[in-house]
Amino acid sequence: MFKLFSGSARIGLAMHRRLAILYVLSLVSLVRPALACKCISSLQPCNQTAASDVVFIGTVEFMEPMFLSRWNPSTQASMQSLNEAYVAARQNPSDATIEHLKNAYRQAFPDMPGDQQSRLQTARTASGVASLFYSGLGRGMHVRFKVKTLFKHEDDDDDASAKKTPQAAEHTIEVWTPFGDCGYDFRSGETYLVYANNDEGSANSLSTDICTRTRRLSEAGDDLAYLFFYKDQPASGRVEGFATTDELYRLTFDRLHDPQTTKSPVPGVVIELQSAHLTRFTETDRNGRFVFDGVPEGDYKLSAYAAGYPVDPNLVAGPQAFHVPPKSCSLQVLLLPKEHP
């Protein structure tokens, strides 16, 4: 079965996730091999925030073209009608069949922008109408959000990134996401945490996709913990890491991206974070992971104690010294003996 692709280099990706696309077989004049979207492992929340131009929580108010939304129940029938009109216009080109195809296109894309409407009006062939379909795919999905909380904007100064956020509550932000496997399937009325970047250096066009940490708000717990302190204490950083008995962890550990586990994790270990001015504690989870947010700049030591601390203070790793720069992502690994208490 054929797959439909736009001509855009950015959208040269598999379209098989879109059920609607499968019905446009007759609009395909050039078949290309299907390519799945390939993402590098997602960045840690603090690295993703640093790499993004805009970070916000917003509710979807508007999406276009809704015709190609995965969540639009009328997509299949509309695509079938459009496809039938295209076949008729190709087999028997006439003013009547071309006008019928245009009307089918208008019904499928009632929210098309003005420039697309003008191009459709002047199209004289079925191929001319098909080119509008391809260019529409190349533009991607246009989504408007009502902003609830703005954590970062590209115009913010390093020292004032959180100070401008309260005024964002009534603002809207418009974001593009590609069609195909890399596009994010936003849903009308849902609220999301969005990481977006200026598209090709344009400050007026933001984009996001599934390769960022963009996700529904209800699925963004770890990110929200970091972003709370990013907004409330802009100079603070995050210290996270793992307790493991894997002596070769340095060969596979990725400090830039977002590791959720490590080989030979040690759960239930008490982790102490200490500096000249503070002492904090937490326990490793079942993946051996621990996190401290809102950590001020300074010199710190990490220590691991066996379960039972402080009644039974058995030190099993550390103290491990390191420095926390402002607004940093510090990833630390504590190596425990294979037979720790």
Side-chain angles (χ1 to χ4, degrees), residues 14-30:
M15 293 294 166
H16 59 273
R17 280 197 340 174
R18 307 283 180 182
L19 178 62
I21 301 296
L22 300 181
Y23 284 84
V24 199
L25 306 184
S26 297
L27 293 179
V28 180
S29 59
L30 177 63

Side-chain angles (χ1 to χ4, degrees), residues 60-66 69 111 141-143 186-188:
V60 175
E61 284 190 325
F62 168 81
M63 297 192 303
E64 63 91 13
M66 278 298 296
S69 170
D111 48 6
M141 179 71 78
H142 180 209
V143 187
F186 291 108
R187 310 174 201 178
S188 294

Side-chain angles (χ1 to χ4, degrees), residues 243-253 262-266 333-338:
T244 178
T245 58
D246 179 21
E247 296 178 351
L248 301 179
Y249 74 86
R250 291 182 180 85
L251 299 179
T252 59
F253 209 69
T262 187
K263 293 182 180 179
S264 304
V266 184
V333 178
L334 287 168
L335 180 61
L336 278 62
K338 291 188 179 295

Side-chain angles (χ1 to χ4, degrees), residues 303-320:
S303 300
Y305 294 89
Y309 181 90
V311 175
D312 187 15
N314 292 317
L315 181 68
V316 292
Q320 181 170 297

Side-chain angles (χ1 to χ4, degrees), residues 7 69 112 133 139 193 201 246 253 255 257 296 302 324:
S69 170
M112 77 176 94
F133 187 89
R139 291 171 66 239
L193 171 62
D246 179 21
F253 209 69
R255 294 183 176 274
H257 296 96
L302 272 177
V324 175

